[in-house]
Structures are given as structure tokens and as C-alpha cells.
Amino acid sequence: MRAVLDTQGLSRSFNGFHAVRDVNLSVAEGSIHALIGPNGAGKTTCFNLLTRFIDPTAGRIRYQGEDITRRKADAVARDGLVRSFQISAVFGQLSVFENVRLAVQRERGHSLDWWRSERVLSRFDERTHELLAEVGLSEWAATPAAELPYGRKRALELATTLALNPRVLLLDEPMAGMGAEDIAQAAQLIRRAARGRTVLMVEHNLSVVADLCDRITVLARGEVLAEGDYAEVSRNPRVVEAYLGQGTHTQTHAAVSTEAGHG
């Protein structure tokens, strides 16, 4: 499968500290690809580089075969490279429906048309309802976003991200702060959102990664430690050493599998 997003020698330093160093990443079109690693591994910095929120110190980023290393963040988002954030970003005083419709209104151009009448904005309603159905929020449409349970609020964030028509969807810790029931629902939503799209996700919950992802890249101290499917990386002694401080081959698979089983 061809790479829709790839990097060569991607690096970023902050005052001499190498947050990301010489990362070669290839995300296959139509795949769900995970970026995992212990705290401080450089995962979110990688996301910020890929989506052009920060500039690399060295290296190159290509999206759909084109060099985007120096492109602006808003330009790559308009081209379909769209990310979510760890921090909740919804308008709490607006309804779930209104939040999603604001995101859908983007197609009119740069203005969000705050002053437009309901009659004019009603042409966005059909697409808004489609997105609410896609993330299981139709029955919550009239609910103020601030009143949503946490898991549903993350589903709302996913809907507003999908409203931007991403070709590649980058999810930064989509399961963070969720209980077991919410995690199961969120995993189903991500699998559904991945139909016809490519997903790159940062995630700490290894059971989610094992269940969802086609390929996994493991970062440690800003560098690629291992890459492969879950079976491959779960048997890699360097991976378990980075996560759990254990290094024997026998311990590796058992330790990572146990970690995955308990999330």
C-alpha cells in the first residue's frame, strides 16, 4: 500500500534538547497506524510537526507525495490532513447540533457567518445530522455540549473533526480519561471513522492499539525504537524495556500482553 503520509529524518530540537530525532515514518493509505511510547517519547511533538504547528529542525514531511515541510497548518488542514487535540475544544453553551454545524459551515469559506439567519444556515443541517449519526450523537443533538458525559463529549469532538472532511485523521490520545465502557464506544467510532480514511493515532491504551491498529511505531526519547504489527512490537525486548524496564525476551511478550489486557 502506498504511503499517504511519510517523513524522512524528521527532527526537532528545543534549546539543544532533541524532542524528535531522525524519525522515518510511513503511514499507508487506508490504514490505522498507532504512534506509541512512554511519557516524553516525542509523540505529541511528532503530531505538531506533521500538522505543521511547529517547524522541524531537520528532515522532510510528505503528504500525498508532496513536500509539505514548510507549508502552513491551515493549508494542510484544508488539504485533508486534520488533527484532534488532547484538550476538549467544544462550545459548551451551544447545543451538540450547533457545535457540529459550526464546523460544517467551514465550506462557505473563511467566515463562520455568525450573523446569518437560520434559513440560510439550514442548508448545512443535512450534513450536520449525518455526522451526528456517524458518531452516535443524534439523540443528544439538542443537549448543551457542556452537559455531555465525557465520552460523548469526545465523540462530539470527533464529529467536528470529521466535518473538515479529513483524508488523514490524526487523533491525539482519543481515549484519555475514559472509563472502560467509553473506551469500547470510542474504539467503535474510530473504526467507523476510518472507513475510507487513514488514521494516525497517539494512544497509551495498548489494548486499544492491539485491537484497532494495522501498524505501530514505537518512539522512545524522540527516536523510533521499533515498528511493525502488534505481534511484532509486543515481542520486542527494547519495547518492553522502554515501557516497563524489563529486557528479557521471555518477559517481553508477557509484559506487553499483560499491559494490553489491562489497558
Side-chain angles (χ1 to χ4, degrees):
M1 297 174 67
R2 79 180 189 94
V4 66
L5 179 66
D6 65 275
T7 70
Q8 294 179 346
L10 190 63
S11 303
R12 173 70 195 205
S13 298
F14 297 96
N15 297 321
F17 171 72
H18 298 286
V20 172
R21 189 200 301 260
D22 198 28
V23 168
N24 297 320
L25 178 68
S26 181
V27 181
E29 187 170 22
S31 69
I32 303 179
H33 192 127
L35 197 60
I36 71 171
N39 290 334
K43 304 180 297 295
T44 296
T45 300
C46 264
F47 258 39
N48 288 334
L49 289 166
L50 293 172
T51 51
R52 303 300 305 112
F53 280 80
I54 60 175
D55 292 326
T57 306
R60 186 171 69 166
I61 307 166
R62 292 191 306 177
Y63 171 56
Q64 301 185 97
E66 296 185 8
D67 192 321
I68 63 164
T69 309
R70 299 299 168 188
R71 294 189 66 188
K72 299 292 187 182
D74 60 339
V76 299
R78 284 195 297 271
D79 284 342
L81 187 63
V82 179
R83 69 171 292 180
S84 69
F85 293 87
Q86 294 179 27
I87 300 172
S88 178
V90 298
F91 295 101
Q93 74 277 18
L94 299 182
S95 71
V96 167
F97 179 87
E98 290 167 333
N99 269 274
V100 177
R101 191 171 67 176
L102 278 174
V104 174
Q105 284 174 227
R106 168 187 173 275
E107 72 181 45
R108 283 185 67 95
H110 297 293
S111 171
L112 288 179
D113 296 335
W114 296 95
W115 60 91
R116 296 286 183 174
S117 68
E118 281 293 318
R119 180 183 59 80
V120 172
L121 297 180
S122 65
R123 72 186 188 93
F124 301 111
D125 289 359
E126 182 177 358
R127 177 58 178 154
T128 301
H129 284 298
E130 288 174 356
L131 288 165
L132 291 175
E134 186 171 354
V135 300
L137 286 179
S138 294
E139 65 181 277
W140 301 81
T143 304
E147 297 178 12
L148 287 177
Y150 183 73
R152 299 292 182 179
K153 189 174 293 184
R154 298 308 296 263
L156 174 57
E157 292 166 2
L158 179 59
T160 59
T161 304
L162 294 177
L164 302 180
N165 296 314
R167 179 170 182 177
V168 178
L169 182 61
L170 294 96
L171 303 176
D172 195 358
E173 298 193 28
M175 312 298 183
M178 290 188 183
E181 183 177 346
D182 285 338
I183 286 173
Q185 292 177 345
Q188 291 178 0
L189 291 180
I190 291 170
R191 188 176 284 111
R192 194 180 309 156
R195 295 171 187 163
R197 301 183 180 96
T198 303
V199 175
L200 176 64
M201 57 189 292
V202 168
E203 183 52 54
H204 283 292
N205 189 312
L206 296 183
S207 62
V208 170
V209 170
D211 183 52
L212 277 179
C213 298
D214 304 301
R215 196 157 186 84
I216 300 165
T217 299
V218 185
L219 292 183
R221 296 179 295 278
E223 301 181 68
V224 175
L225 188 65
E227 187 169 287
D229 60 26
Y230 181 76
E232 291 174 297
V233 300
S234 69
R235 289 176 170 84
N236 188 315
R238 298 177 66 202
V239 173
V240 172
E241 185 175 7
Y243 266 100
L244 303 176
Q246 300 176 11
T248 69
H249 181 82
T250 302
Q251 291 170 322
T252 301
H253 179 59
V256 175
S257 295
T258 300
E259 179 73 8
H262 292 287

